[in-house]
Amino acid sequence: MTFTQILKEYDWNEVKNFIHSRTAEDVAAVLNKDIITETDFAVLLSPAAEKFLEPMAKEASRITLQRFGKTIKIYGPIYTSNECTNSCVYCGFNRHNEIPRVTLTDEEVVAEAKTIADMGIQHLLLVTGESPKVVSVSDLARTCDLLRDMFSSLSIEVFPMSTEEYSILRNSGADGLTIYQETYNRETYAKVHPAGRKRDFEWRLETPDRGAEAGYRTVGIGALMGLEDFRTEEFFVGLHARYLMKHYWKTHVTVSFPRIRFAAGNFTPYELIKDKNLVQSMLALRLFLHDAGLVISTREPAEMREHLLPLGVTQMSAGSKTEPGGYNKEHDGKQFKVEDDRSVAEFCAMLRSKGYDPVMKDWDKNFLVRS
Amino acid sequence: MFSKNLIIDGRTFRSRLMVGTGKFAGSDVMAAAAEASGAEIVTVALRRVDVNNPQDDILNHIDTSKYLLLPNTSGARDAEEAVRLARIARAAGCEPWIKLEVTPDPYYLLPDPIETFKAAEILVKEGFKVLPYINADPVLCKRLEEIGTVTVMPLGAPIGSNKGIKTVDNLRIIIEQAHVPVVVDAGIGAPSHAALAIEMGADAVLVNTAIATAGDPVKMALAFKLAVDAAVTARDAGMPSQKEKAEASSPLTGFLRD
């Protein structure tokens, strides 16, 4: 059964009503259980569970410490193009936004990568907009070939591809894939993606499957928090993560919690995600899936990132620039505004001061079999 | 007399406790915990270190004049990746000892017996001293022994679970049958678990999560040292045998004469 089929088994509004009508007694009962089922997970996402954030945090912290230790894996993004044919209403790269459009040349990619590597980043995330005419699969493969020897591991966050195309990039050194569904609500998905290739909900929904089938070691998913009722949204994120973990048993699944921040276009979100909403989502997910990697990027402000440390997070970006070429020359073509603008060194020093080991290297490209 | 020393492939170690280096809050506390544990074998994940970089933070904290640095292949999903990792470590100047871990499932990190066997076969032929991490499977232990691994390292419970010796019945068979040292590798969550493994007849234990994630890792490392020492001393003293059934104090056949 594909996740598209699984998703069709659920009625969004029914799930939403279920979550919103739970009581404190329901939550207390779940917190006494050892195994958190799908229904329990929904209970933990309920408004009623907001009064139980402290015991949820204690348990999430205990599980994370046992599974991951006091470590945070550090990664950094490289944006190589902000050209995009999509018109996602929430995104800085929306084709209608008047921002400087930049696609880096190979020389510029290497110069950016060198700056990033010099900052100490060894896990690199390659990001582009969706514009296959400007940045094609073979362009991306060439970029991966340029980057592979400069970093320990290379993940990609680019447009959805076929399994064959993902295999091409894998052969060029990519071993991780990040692809956010943005929203699991079909109607909202259609509304916020009015034009462009991204309109195809199911093609995007099954993208993590194609990456895992192509042998990617890690697959990252998530919803863009704020597009829909976050409680219902995160319920489906959890189901999707669990589905992937069950089906692709050799792939490590990570979940991100991006909140909508200011981006070009001044999009107004469905709801503003409060800090406590983000925390509740993360805690519920950790209690549901003990081993998923949980990712927090520099979208979150410095203070918030520090508070999140003991609550289940396992991976964080640092020193990020979200515009192509931004590490060497900043400009306005950003995907989103970075809220935590500390350097990699400053961020790692903070982690150490709080008793966490910043893990710069957790894989090695030399381990991968080259075809 | 039961020796306090652990001998693996002719090499003598004064401690029957081995420690890992993952999950610590930093390299300083990791090094201090290793010191307190009295261990002489310290395992390190090749994925976490840059074996070619003399400045590598973790490697710099392990004094190879005091410890055997035992690289492990954690993260390898198949034999080919594991063999590649082992070769990279040796090429970088590590001793040819390798803790073989082939764990295709990234969540419970349970060992793949088929790929582990395949990798062990290749690595033994290439001259590696192979210490394979495996499920508590007595037949697999014999098969690995036959192809020349220098230990077997069955798990007590899933790695990182801290659940203790849950595979006790199979471990007893493995210990009974083994010609190479048996090292209980995973699941040991408390000093008492480590002591139990040694009392049962295991040659050594390997502990990581229980030390690394303790409130005070250095103190916990010492506690494991003391527990292992206690069990070793108990073995030396001669453990009283356990019986399944009560033994009649008056023999039933005492009336018989020669």
Side-chain angles (χ1 to χ4, degrees):
Chain A
M1 208 174 186
T2 66
F3 193 66
T4 303
Q5 290 166 324
I6 291 173
L7 201 56
K8 283 179 180 159
E9 301 286 314
Y10 295 84
D11 178 88
W12 179 279
N13 286 323
E14 260 177 41
V15 174
K16 185 177 168 186
N17 290 340
F18 177 84
I19 292 173
H20 283 263
S21 57
R22 292 310 94 194
T23 64
E25 289 72 31
D26 296 330
V27 182
V30 166
L31 289 176
N32 275 326
K33 297 175 73 171
D34 285 336
I35 308 266
I36 302 297
T37 65
E38 175 184 321
T39 310
D40 299 334
F41 175 49
V43 173
L44 294 176
L45 286 166
S46 68
E50 275 186 15
K51 290 201 173 63
F52 295 83
L53 291 184
E54 188 57 30
M56 285 171 68
K58 288 205 166 77
E59 183 62 3
S61 190
R62 185 193 67 75
I63 295 166
T64 308
L65 177 65
Q66 187 192 345
R67 302 291 199 181
F68 296 91
K70 293 198 100 179
T71 65
I72 299 287
K73 181 173 156 182
I74 306 292
Y75 73 97
I78 180 170
Y79 283 72
T80 61
S81 173
N82 59 7
E83 290 285 351
C84 198
T85 57
N86 289 321
S87 44
C88 315
V89 296
Y90 48 81
C91 181
F93 290 172
N94 181 329
R95 64 178 173 177
H96 299 302
N97 290 339
E98 291 191 7
I99 57 166
R101 297 288 171 175
V102 179
T103 298
L104 302 184
T105 63
D106 287 356
E107 292 71 29
E108 289 167 334
V109 167
V110 171
E112 282 285 277
K114 195 171 175 319
T115 304
I116 297 167
D118 287 347
M119 287 158 38
I121 294 289
Q122 295 196 53
H123 290 292
L124 189 70
L125 175 65
L126 167 63
V127 192
T128 67
E130 178 161 4
S131 185
K133 279 190 184 150
V134 182
V135 181
S136 66
V137 174
S138 59
D139 289 330
L140 286 167
R142 199 180 63 250
T143 303
C144 289
D145 281 327
L146 291 172
L147 298 171
R148 66 187 304 168
D149 289 331
M150 300 172 72
F151 297 90
S152 292
S153 80
L154 177 59
S155 294
I156 53 171
E157 185 177 349
V158 299
F159 52 89
M161 295 178 191
S162 66
T163 306
E164 293 70 31
E165 289 169 326
Y166 280 130
S167 297
I168 291 170
L169 297 190
R170 184 171 183 266
N171 291 338
S172 290
D175 55 22
L177 168 68
T178 298
I179 186 90
Y180 300 148
Q181 184 61 25
E182 320 294 12
T183 174
Y184 288 81
N185 181 306
R186 283 172 186 269
E187 288 77 41
T188 305
Y189 187 92
K191 241 182 269 172
V192 298
H193 303 111
R197 285 161 42 115
K198 197 165 167 178
R199 276 189 68 76
D200 191 337
F201 180 88
E202 289 179 11
W203 174 248
R204 193 169 187 89
L205 191 64
E206 292 181 8
T207 302
D209 295 71
R210 297 192 298 274
E213 279 161 15
Y216 282 59
R217 298 182 64 85
T218 60
V219 169
I221 63 166
L224 186 57
M225 298 181 79
L227 292 180
E228 249 298 343
D229 173 60
F230 82 90
R231 301 176 195 279
T232 314
E233 196 78 271
E234 293 302 322
F235 173 76
F236 288 112
V237 171
L239 288 198
H240 197 184
R242 189 183 60 169
Y243 158 86
L244 291 168
M245 290 164 87
K246 278 181 189 271
H247 278 71
Y248 305 100
W249 63 287
K250 293 185 181 183
T251 299
H252 190 238
V253 176
T254 65
V255 176
S256 300
F257 301 89
R259 283 196 278 184
I260 293 174
R261 293 271 161 195
F262 168 83
N266 291 324
F267 164 71
T268 309
Y270 169 89
E271 60 180 347
L272 270 178
I273 305 299
K274 301 185 183 89
D275 289 355
K276 66 174 181 181
N277 303 150
L278 175 65
V279 166
Q280 185 179 356
S281 302
M282 190 177 212
L283 298 177
L285 208 113
R286 172 55 76 227
L287 297 182
F288 182 48
L289 301 172
H290 293 188
D291 297 286
L294 302 186
V295 185
I296 292 288
S297 78
T298 55
R299 275 177 189 263
E300 292 300 327
E303 198 188 342
M304 180 67 177
R305 299 219 305 162
E306 292 179 24
H307 287 313
L308 291 174
L309 277 177
L311 301 184
V313 59
T314 61
Q315 297 178 31
M316 292 173 122
S317 51
S320 306
K321 303 289 178 195
T322 70
E323 70 274 33
Y327 289 97
N328 288 317
K329 188 169 187 273
E330 287 197 37
H331 60 83
D332 292 334
K334 297 177 172 59
Q335 189 191 27
F336 61 86
K337 183 173 173 292
V338 167
E339 296 285 337
D340 182 351
D341 58 4
R342 287 174 290 186
S343 69
V344 174
E346 286 167 340
F347 185 70
C348 291
M350 178 278 294
L351 287 179
R352 287 190 195 95
S353 76
K354 293 193 174 289
Y356 285 83
D357 188 21
V359 173
M360 307 310 291
K361 179 177 180 296
D362 193 33
W363 184 242
D364 196 307
K365 78 264 176 187
N366 293 316
F367 301 162
L368 284 179
V369 178
R370 294 190 188 205
S371 60
Chain B
M1 188 181 120
F2 176 66
S3 169
K4 284 182 87 92
N5 292 337
L6 168 69
I7 299 171
I8 303 176
D9 196 47
R11 183 160 168 175
T12 302
F13 302 92
R14 284 167 300 174
S15 170
R16 291 180 178 270
L17 174 61
M18 306 178 184
V19 292
T21 53
K23 297 188 179 177
F24 282 93
S27 296
D28 288 338
V29 64
M30 178 272 288
E35 174 82 35
S37 75
E40 291 190 325
I41 299 179
V42 176
T43 185
V44 61
L46 287 162
R47 60 193 283 177
R48 284 290 310 276
V49 298
D50 183 352
V51 280
N52 292 308
N53 178 7
Q55 304 307 319
D56 185 90
D57 185 53
I58 295 176
L59 295 178
N60 265 334
H61 278 80
I62 301 170
D63 179 353
T64 48
S65 68
K66 276 167 47 186
Y67 303 108
L68 169 66
L69 176 71
L70 179 63
N72 71 60
T73 63
S74 113
R77 295 191 297 181
D78 54 33
E80 201 172 348
E81 284 185 357
V83 168
R84 183 178 292 265
L85 264 84
R87 287 175 183 157
I88 288 170
R90 185 157 71 173
C94 292
E95 291 195 64
W97 290 60
I98 193 85
K99 178 167 182 267
L100 178 61
E101 298 184 26
V102 187
T103 52
D105 129 55
Y107 305 111
Y108 287 98
L109 299 172
L110 289 168
D112 181 329
I114 300 164
E115 295 295 317
T116 303
F117 185 84
K118 277 192 214 163
E121 224 170 8
I122 296 167
L123 291 170
V124 168
K125 278 186 191 147
E126 292 184 5
F128 282 92
K129 314 285 185 201
V130 178
L131 295 82
Y133 166 58
I134 48 172
N135 220 308
D137 178 342
V139 175
L140 180 60
C141 285
K142 295 311 286 179
R143 294 287 305 269
L144 286 164
E145 223 179 66
E146 278 172 4
I147 61 169
T149 65
V150 295
T151 63
V152 287
M153 302 185 76
L155 55 79
I159 200 164
S161 69
N162 293 334
K163 288 190 171 177
I165 311 296
K166 296 293 179 193
T167 54
V168 58
D169 291 337
N170 277 13
L171 283 177
R172 281 191 206 286
I173 299 171
I174 291 167
I175 289 165
E176 180 192 322
Q177 294 183 334
H179 288 301
V180 294
V182 176
V183 185
V184 177
D185 186 357
I188 291 177
S192 56
H193 302 155
L196 174 63
I198 301 287
E199 287 168 8
M200 277 173 59
D203 295 280
V205 292
L206 192 148
V207 181
N208 185 7
T209 299
I211 293 175
T213 66
D216 182 340
V218 179
K219 201 176 268 182
M220 186 57 82
L222 174 64
F224 271 97
K225 175 189 188 302
L226 296 172
V228 169
D229 284 350
V232 167
T233 306
R235 288 265 300 268
D236 187 26
M239 297 280 290
S241 61
Q242 295 180 14
K243 294 196 175 64
E244 294 296 325
K245 294 170 187 159
E247 191 173 288
S249 49
S250 309
L252 300 176
T253 53
F255 64 94
L256 298 174
R257 297 282 180 268
D258 286 335

